[in-house]
């Protein structure tokens, strides 16, 4: 039997990627996607309301070729994607709780050491995890992330409260996962939690944890990212001791999707260094 190059590539890809559910503490069932079979481990942490497939498809599909010695694991945090039930438990400390759950997942997957790729909200969770598990997290890559939320960020988020005002391209993937009404409800709950963090904690996500990160860290930034105010990246560069920085001059918030090939190459070189 003969296959075209595309069909052959797809067939090879399908043998590398596995999607499963596994139970961690409190009987919570976590959905995750794994690609590659290497002895080293990478955990991919999605952004707000995100999941393995909505946020990391190009990494799951192509990083194994660049990093054959790694196993790439992308999860759906509890209450997101296919990790439901339970319903997402939004509290002012949900980032910290998600960091605990993520670490439990990796232990269940026999990953005693691992590196992390964290985007946006996932970058916040990743920084907390890197700080609290500094003997276990080997390397950290973050982008679109911030250690706190300020007045400018709140104004930006409030302007996005009604998802109907978003472009169809921005909301399409989430509406496929949650449905139109479900997406709006979950987004509203998330946004209200940001307001609670702003009012109750002075907007502090993880300022204390950031200063405790000791692993080699790569901060990647889209210079035209409209989702975070300008103070956040300089703050992280200053506070994370062992960090490198790379900027996409035309990049916005989703540089790992928009510039997937360049991003994957950048990340693989950092993780191999």
């Amino acid at each position: 039997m003969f296959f075209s190059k595309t069909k052959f590539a797809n067939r090879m890809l399908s043998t590398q990627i596995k999607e499963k559910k596994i139970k961690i503490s409190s009987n919570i069932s976590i959905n995750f996607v794994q690609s590659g079979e290497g002895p080293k481990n990478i955990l991919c942490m999605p952004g707000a309301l995100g999941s393995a497939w909505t946020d990391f498809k190009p990494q799951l599909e192509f990083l194994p070729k660049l990093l054959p010695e790694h196993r790439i694991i992308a999860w759906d945090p509890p209450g997101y994607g296919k990790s439901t039930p339970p319903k997402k438990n939004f509290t002012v400390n949900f980032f910290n709780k998600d960091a605990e759950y993520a670490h439990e997942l990796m232990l269940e997957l026999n990953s005693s050491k691992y590196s992390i790729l964290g985007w946006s909200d996932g970058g916040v969770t990743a920084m907390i995890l890197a700080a609290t598990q500094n003997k276990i997290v080997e390397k950290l890559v973050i982008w679109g992330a911030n250690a706190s939320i300020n007045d400018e960020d709140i104004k930006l988020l409030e302007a996005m409260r009604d998802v109907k005002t978003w472009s169809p391209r921005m909301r399409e993937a989430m509406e496929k996962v949650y449905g139109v009404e479900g997406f709006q409800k979950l987004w509203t709950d998330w946004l209200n939690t940001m307001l609670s963090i702003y009012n109750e904690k002075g907007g502090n996500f993880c300022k204390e944890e950031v200063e405790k990160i000791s692993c080699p860290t790569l901060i990647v930034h889209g210079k035209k990212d409209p989702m975070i105010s300008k103070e956040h990246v300089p703050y992280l560069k200053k506070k994370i001791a062992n960090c490198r920085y790379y900027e996409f001059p035309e990049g916005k918030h989703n540089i790992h999707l928009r510039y997937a090939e360049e991003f994957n190459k950048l990340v693989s070189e950092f993780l191999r260094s």
Side-chain angles (χ1 to χ4, degrees), residues 95 120-121 124 144-161 166 187 190-199 202-205 207 221 225-236 253:
F95 287 122
S120 196
D121 266 25
V124 178
N146 41 321
S148 62
I149 193 168
N150 60 28
D151 293 351
E152 185 179 342
D153 299 316
I154 290 294
K155 290 178 182 177
L156 171 66
L157 292 175
E158 283 289 7
M160 299 177 65
R161 181 174 284 274
W166 299 16
W187 173 252
W190 178 89
L191 199 156
N192 288 341
T193 303
M194 295 300 106
L195 292 174
S196 295
I197 294 173
Y198 178 74
N199 291 322
N204 185 3
F205 292 156
K207 285 185 173 181
H221 180 53
D225 189 340
M227 299 298 293
I228 56 174
S229 58
K230 293 181 180 180
E231 72 177 55
H232 295 305
V233 170
Y235 178 88
L236 295 177
H253 197 55

Side-chain angles (χ1 to χ4, degrees), residues 7-203:
K7 287 183 178 179
F8 181 75
N10 288 340
R11 187 183 183 193
M12 292 297 291
L13 185 62
S14 67
T15 62
Q16 290 184 326
I17 296 181
K18 304 172 185 177
E19 186 167 5
K20 299 179 181 179
K21 283 192 174 184
I22 191 169
K23 285 188 178 180
I24 58 171
S25 69
S26 304
N27 212 31
I28 293 175
S29 185
I30 298 295
N31 188 75
F32 70 96
V33 181
Q34 174 185 315
S35 64
E37 300 289 346
K40 296 183 178 182
N41 300 284
I42 301 169
L43 173 61
C44 300
M45 309 191 80
L49 282 58
S51 64
W53 284 119
T54 60
D55 290 13
F56 287 109
K57 188 173 185 288
Q59 285 67 52
L60 288 164
E61 291 181 343
F62 299 111
L63 276 181
K65 183 177 180 181
L66 298 171
L67 294 167
E69 70 279 16
H70 285 76
R71 176 174 60 156
I72 293 88
I73 297 162
W75 79 326
D76 298 358
Y80 289 171
K82 296 178 184 177
S83 293
T84 54
K87 177 183 176 183
K88 186 67 178 181
N89 184 22
F90 283 118
T91 69
V92 294
N93 295 313
F94 84 91
F95 287 122
N96 302 74
K97 197 64 183 175
D98 277 358
E100 293 175 12
Y101 288 141
H103 181 57
E104 287 185 46
L105 170 66
M106 296 305 283
L107 293 181
E108 287 290 336
L109 296 177
N110 299 314
S111 301
S112 58
K113 299 269 188 181
Y114 52 89
S115 296
I116 310 175
L117 308 184
W119 176 41
S120 196
D121 266 25
V124 178
T125 310
M127 288 188 285
I128 295 170
L129 184 48
T132 56
Q133 301 293 339
N134 54 27
K135 293 182 179 180
I136 290 176
V137 176
E138 297 180 305
K139 291 189 177 182
L140 173 67
V141 182
I142 52 174
W143 64 105
N146 41 321
S148 62
I149 193 168
N150 60 28
D151 293 351
E152 185 179 342
D153 299 316
I154 290 294
K155 290 178 182 177
L156 171 66
L157 292 175
E158 283 289 7
M160 299 177 65
R161 181 174 284 274
D162 184 356
V163 299
K164 295 190 200 70
T165 65
W166 299 16
S167 70
R169 183 179 178 183
M170 283 181 64
R171 64 177 190 261
E172 181 181 10
M174 292 300 182
E175 289 179 345
K176 284 183 178 179
V177 174
Y178 301 109
V180 175
E181 293 183 3
F183 174 41
Q184 178 66 76
K185 175 63 168 61
L186 195 60
W187 173 252
T188 300
D189 290 346
W190 178 89
L191 199 156
N192 288 341
T193 303
M194 295 300 106
L195 292 174
S196 295
I197 294 173
Y198 178 74
N199 291 322
E200 297 176 28
K201 300 180 65 177

Side-chain angles (χ1 to χ4, degrees), residues 197-222:
I197 294 173
Y198 178 74
N199 291 322
E200 297 176 28
K201 300 180 65 177
N204 185 3
F205 292 156
C206 60
K207 285 185 173 181
E208 295 80 12
E209 288 87 351
V210 162
E211 298 192 22
K212 297 176 183 177
I213 296 172
S214 58
C215 66
T217 300
L218 174 63
I219 300 172
V220 189
H221 180 53

